[in-house]
């Protein structure tokens, strides 16, 4: 089995990120150009999981003035449960630490028990829920202290 690498995404990965975004986040309408702009942004970073050169997952995070946020995480079904998601999250958390953030936040659908279990296992805790539903779903806010 080929080794899985986690690397910072380059613009060449925009198409595969776009395909995964459409599959895992169909409610988010990001064009290929928008993804390329985000890849060039100084406030958004994407990291991809690669196996044999193919993108099998990604995580994107945003660095705001007062906090770091994980915007999205996905891993293709064949590799879910193999530690790829954990490695992507650890990469994002490591970047936020390098940039001296005190906390990192993320949003997750209340019914996504597998994701919530993974986040909690990695030190995230529930901070509450958004007052309004997003895309018709109740959304939880989780955070992890970094220092």
């Amino acid at each position: 089995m080929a080794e899985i690498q986690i690397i910072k995404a380059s613009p060449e990965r925009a198409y595969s990120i776009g395909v995964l975004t459409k599959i895992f986040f169909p409610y988010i309408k990001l064009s290929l150009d928008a993804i390329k702009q985000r890849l060039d942004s100084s406030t958004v970073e994407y990291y991809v999981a690669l196996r044999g050169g193919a993108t099998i997952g990604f995580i994107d995070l945003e660095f705001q003035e007062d906090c770091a946020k994980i915007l999205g995480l996905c891993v293709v079904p064949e590799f879910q449960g193999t530690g790829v998601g954990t490695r992507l999250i650890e990469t994002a958390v490591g970047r936020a630490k390098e940039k001296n953030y005190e906390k990192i936040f993320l949003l997750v659908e209340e019914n996504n028990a597998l994701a919530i279990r993974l986040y909690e296992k990695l030190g995230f805790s529930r901070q509450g829920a958004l007052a309004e539903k997003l895309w018709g779903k109740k959304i939880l806010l989780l955070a992890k202290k970094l220092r």
Side-chain angles (χ1 to χ4, degrees):
M1 177 142 88
E3 180 183 337
I4 294 171
Q5 296 177 290
I6 308 295
I7 63 167
K8 186 171 183 182
S10 61
E12 294 79 33
R13 297 282 168 198
Y15 180 77
S16 59
I17 290 169
V19 169
L20 291 175
T21 299
K22 284 185 187 336
I23 293 168
F24 288 94
F25 309 105
Y27 43 85
I28 297 176
K29 308 294 185 205
L30 279 179
S31 67
L32 187 57
D33 284 340
I35 292 169
K36 286 179 181 177
Q37 287 175 350
R38 288 164 57 102
L39 284 165
D40 286 335
S41 168
S42 62
T43 60
V44 175
E45 293 182 4
Y46 280 87
Y47 291 87
V48 292
L50 303 176
R51 180 172 180 260
T55 303
I56 61 168
F58 76 82
I59 193 165
D60 57 332
L61 60 157
E62 181 178 35
F63 300 107
Q64 296 181 342
E65 191 174 311
D66 59 342
C67 68
K69 294 181 183 176
I70 293 174
L71 302 175
L73 167 69
C74 66
V75 177
V76 297
E78 298 88 338
F79 291 94
Q80 291 176 3
T82 65
V84 173
T86 296
R87 289 179 60 196
L88 286 165
I89 294 166
E90 288 171 344
T91 298
V93 166
R95 281 296 292 145
K97 283 181 179 178
E98 286 173 14
K99 290 180 162 273
N100 295 315
Y101 284 93
E102 291 185 19
K103 278 188 175 182
I104 187 166
F105 295 90
L106 61 84
L107 299 175
V108 63
E109 182 187 335
E110 179 182 51
N111 295 331
N112 193 342
L114 283 175
I116 293 168
R117 189 165 49 246
L118 173 62
Y119 298 138
E120 289 177 341
K121 180 181 112 183
L122 294 173
F124 285 82
S125 60
R126 297 176 197 212
Q127 304 295 301
L130 298 185
E132 308 247 343
K133 289 184 177 185
L134 290 181
W135 308 287
K137 299 174 183 193
K138 186 172 181 182
I139 305 295
L140 303 177
L141 172 67
L142 279 68
K144 176 182 174 114
K145 288 184 180 179
L146 302 178
R147 47 186 167 126

